[in-house]
Amino acid sequence: MKTLKEDGVLDSFTQYQAETASVKDLSIVHCPNYINSVNEGVLSANALRTLGLEWSDALRNRSFLAPAGTLATAHLALANGLACHAAGGTHHAHYDYGAGYCVFNDLAYAARRLVREGIVEQVLIIDCDVHQGDGTARILACDDQIFTCSLHCRSNYPARRAESDLDVEIDRGTGDEGYLATLEETLSVLTKRYLKPDLVLYDAGVDVHINDGLGQLSLTNSGIRARDEMVIRHFRQQDCAVATVIGGGYGDDINEVALRHSLVFRAALSVATE
Ligand SMILES: [Zn+2]
């Protein structure tokens, strides 16, 4: 597998660059004191430990940019049916602290902002990262117009679970076949319980991969590709707009991880051209 550019896949996408989010923008989902601490680079050593990242200006810049990218991707999906973000999925970020490499919660931000602005009535967040979308579930616990669904490995981080609107726990070591069967069942449950959201935000985390450094599931590249196609096709067939974010993915070989993250773009293109 080559890169999206080398494969010519990128030529089929129109590319956009988001504007960065402001402190005020993000305050619809995060505590202003916390956002200011990130903006001013004054997070405590303890806060950085929970976050799992070292402080840098680059971290601040990407933290304010990525949520705006998810919002822009959601707008593009609403206009065109399907759009993919080359970042996002920072689902462990909570109201007043960051955790698990996640500073701000782009999923909660985009969903709540679109609902508050009256642009959409119902949003579904389907999170297939190997880890539970705990921050998203907690921030949005009282948002009736946003449904949170997390499919994650039973034995992975975080130890202290939140309650999504629908949580599906998958056993450690589950491979392509078992995973895809559970996903198919989950999609049909979602359709029964939650017919036709205006917008689906899909976290396509690749830390479900068998060689991932943190994830404990055992999907192959073709399993991830099939997962992404299944989710996108399911909702596009119902005429729901679908915006994808890349989510987690860990390993020493950065090119391998990048190739895994490219799978959702390939899947989106396949479904869009069916
Ligand atoms: Zn993850």
Side-chain angles (χ1 to χ4, degrees), residues 87-252:
T90 41
H91 59 172
H92 301 308
H94 292 263
Y95 173 70
D96 55 359
Y97 66 97
Y101 315 131
C102 301
V103 178
F104 298 132
N105 197 308
D106 59 306
L107 296 160
Y109 169 66
R112 187 178 277 171
R113 183 153 167 179
L114 290 166
V115 167
R116 288 215 178 153
E117 289 178 356
I119 293 167
V120 294
E121 279 187 19
Q122 303 285 340
V123 180
L124 167 66
I125 298 175
I126 179 161
D127 187 338
C128 289
D129 188 283
V130 81
H131 305 100
Q132 191 203 29
D134 58 338
T136 316
R138 288 214 180 91
I139 291 172
L140 299 174
C142 298
D143 290 51
D144 295 341
Q145 290 166 268
I146 306 168
F147 192 98
T148 54
C149 171
S150 177
L151 268 89
H152 48 265
C153 178
R154 197 185 296 283
S155 50
N156 263 121
Y157 175 97
R160 214 177 114 239
R161 294 278 200 262
E163 198 177 321
S164 312
D165 293 308
L166 179 62
D167 283 300
V168 179
E169 303 217 299
I170 299 176
D171 289 334
R172 181 186 188 134
T174 300
D176 293 347
E177 204 180 324
Y179 184 95
L180 292 169
T182 303
L183 176 62
E184 196 171 11
E185 205 179 300
T186 305
L187 291 172
S188 88
V189 168
L190 284 171
T191 298
K192 279 185 203 128
R193 274 180 65 170
Y194 193 74
L195 207 63
K196 283 194 79 168
D198 306 301
L199 171 70
V200 175
L201 297 178
Y202 171 42
D203 184 334
V206 295
D207 42 16
V208 292
H209 194 275
I210 188 164
N211 294 332
D212 188 83
L214 297 179
Q216 295 172 356
L217 294 180
S218 301
L219 272 69
T220 63
N221 281 348
S222 64
I224 293 176
R225 169 81 182 254
R227 173 196 71 169
D228 295 345
E229 285 189 16
M230 190 186 286
V231 172
I232 296 168
R233 187 181 295 115
H234 179 84
F235 292 107
R236 288 303 298 136
Q237 279 176 349
Q238 297 174 44
D239 224 17
C240 306
V242 178
T244 74
V245 299
I246 64 168
Y250 307 91
D252 294 332

